[in-house]
Amino acid sequence: MSTRPLARRRLAIVALAAAAALSLSGCSQIVEAFNGISSTKDNAQAVPVPNATPAAGTTEMPFDSQFTYDGSVQMTYEVADGLQIILDFWAVDSKRTREWHPDNPKTFGFAVNVKDTRVDEKAVLKQKRRVFLSNVTISSQTAQTSNQVSSPFQFSADPRTLVPTDTIRSNRGLLINSYQGGLLVPETTINQLPQDTYGITLQFALDIWVEGTADDDKSFAQQTVYPVIPIAIYPRDTETDESTGGTTGGTSGGDSQGTTGTDGWTSTGGTGGPTTP
C-alpha cells in the first residue's frame, strides 16, 4: 500500500493543529508559527511583529514629545496667506533630553521669527508684510503619576526688553522680520518639578500685529497664536539609551516627518538652534 496518502493526511492534521493554535494564541504569534512550519522548506526569516509593550532592555518614552526625541523642534503657523510665524525650541543643558529629571535644572532656548513666502528672502522690508511681537507668555502644566497637576514654570516678557535697544520697534512691539532677525532667548530654565512628574507641557502665547498689505501702516490687525510643546521627564533610575533621539541636541531633526495639529501648528524636528528666514 502506498504511504503517500498517509503522509498527506498527516500534513493536513499538522496544518489544522497549527491553525487552531494560531486562533488561540492571537495575531502576534502568526508570523512566528508560520515561519516554524515553512522553515523546513527554505529557512525563511520571520518578520517581527510590533509588540504593544517594549521589549526587555528597552525604555519607552513616557510622554509623547517630538522635542524630547529630537532634542529640538520647529513649529510653524500661517498667520496670513503665505505669512508664517516660526518658533524654534531647543535643549541647552542638558542637551541629552533623557537627562531631564524632575529635580535638576532643565535649560532651553527659543527663537521667534517670521517668513513671508510671497516675496524673496532678500527683499527689502517695504516689500514684506511686517509682523510685530508685543508680548511672549509661557505657561506650564505637569503630567504626574499621582494625577495631580501643577504649573511650576511661568514666563512673561515684553520682547523689547529682551533685545538690544537699537532693534526696530514701535508701539506695536518688536519687529521680527527685519534684517536684524526676530526674537532670540538663548537660555531659560525649568527648575524643580514634583518628583512623580513624567511630562510637562509648555504653552506659548505670542501676541502679534500682522500687516495685511506690505508698506501699509493702516492694514495691521492683532492676533494671538498658541504653540504647544510637550516635554518628557525621566525618573532618576531611567538609563540613558544612546541609540534613542534627544542625545545630540536635535541634529537628527532634519530627517523627521512634520506633523500638523488640529490647532494649525506644524511641528518638525529642529536643527538644535534658531533659524533666521
Side-chain angles (χ1 to χ4, degrees):
M1 184 175 77
S2 173
T3 60
R4 184 171 298 177
L6 180 59
R8 288 178 177 173
R9 285 197 296 273
R10 287 176 177 172
L11 287 173
I13 292 171
V14 170
L16 288 172
L22 291 177
S23 64
L24 293 173
S25 60
C27 294
S28 63
Q29 303 299 320
I30 291 175
V31 174
E32 181 180 351
F34 179 79
N35 186 68
I37 295 172
S38 62
S39 61
T40 58
K41 295 181 180 179
D42 55 10
N43 296 319
Q45 289 287 330
V47 177
V49 177
N51 294 319
T53 56
T58 65
T59 303
E60 185 181 42
M61 184 180 291
F63 195 67
D64 187 17
S65 168
Q66 184 168 350
F67 161 73
T68 298
Y69 183 82
D70 287 325
S72 60
V73 67
Q74 183 178 89
M75 305 189 70
T76 60
Y77 186 85
E78 194 165 70
V79 294
D81 183 26
L83 191 64
Q84 298 173 337
I85 286 286
I86 302 171
L87 172 67
D88 286 292
F89 186 96
W90 61 93
V92 175
D93 187 20
S94 165
K95 290 186 177 181
R96 297 178 182 271
T97 51
R98 279 186 174 274
E99 296 176 0
W100 284 36
H101 307 302
D103 58 350
N104 66 343
K106 297 159 282 291
T107 302
F108 63 88
F110 69 92
V112 183
N113 286 282
V114 65
K115 182 177 182 179
D116 190 344
T117 62
R118 287 185 179 180
V119 298
D120 186 86
E121 292 182 1
K122 297 180 181 179
V124 298
L125 187 57
K126 284 189 175 183
Q127 296 174 316
K128 298 178 180 180
R129 289 167 290 175
R130 291 171 292 172
V131 178
F132 288 91
L133 180 64
S134 59
N135 194 68
V136 178
T137 300
I138 309 174
S139 58
S140 63
Q141 181 172 302
T142 58
Q144 300 172 226
T145 56
S146 62
N147 293 323
Q148 299 295 311
V149 175
S150 61
S151 302
F153 177 82
Q154 303 291 332
F155 178 96
S156 184
D158 182 332
R160 290 168 292 191
T161 66
L162 303 175
V163 296
T165 56
D166 61 348
T167 53
I168 300 177
R169 59 190 65 205
S170 74
N171 59 347
R172 297 188 179 96
L174 175 70
L175 183 66
I176 58 175
N177 57 338
S178 72
Y179 66 92
Q180 295 167 314
L183 172 68
L184 171 63
V185 179
E187 290 188 9
T188 190
T189 300
I190 302 171
N191 289 303
Q192 185 79 25
L193 299 175
Q195 196 58 39
D196 66 337
T197 301
Y198 63 91
I200 183 170
T201 299
L202 302 184
Q203 182 176 71
F204 284 71
L206 307 177
D207 297 328
I208 58 175
W209 287 87
V210 179
E211 191 173 32
T213 304
D215 200 28
D216 182 358
D217 203 56
K218 296 181 179 180
S219 65
F220 279 96
Q222 189 176 22
Q223 60 178 289
T224 303
V225 292
Y226 301 95
V228 175
I229 299 180
I231 300 171
I233 302 297
Y234 289 87
R236 278 288 180 183
D237 57 354
T238 298
E239 296 181 1
T240 300
D241 183 354
E242 293 294 341
S243 64
T244 304
T247 62
T248 58
T251 56
S252 64
D255 296 328
S256 298
Q257 185 71 30
T259 57
T260 302
T262 55
D263 57 359
W265 283 93
T266 300
S267 302
T268 58
T271 59
T275 58
T276 302

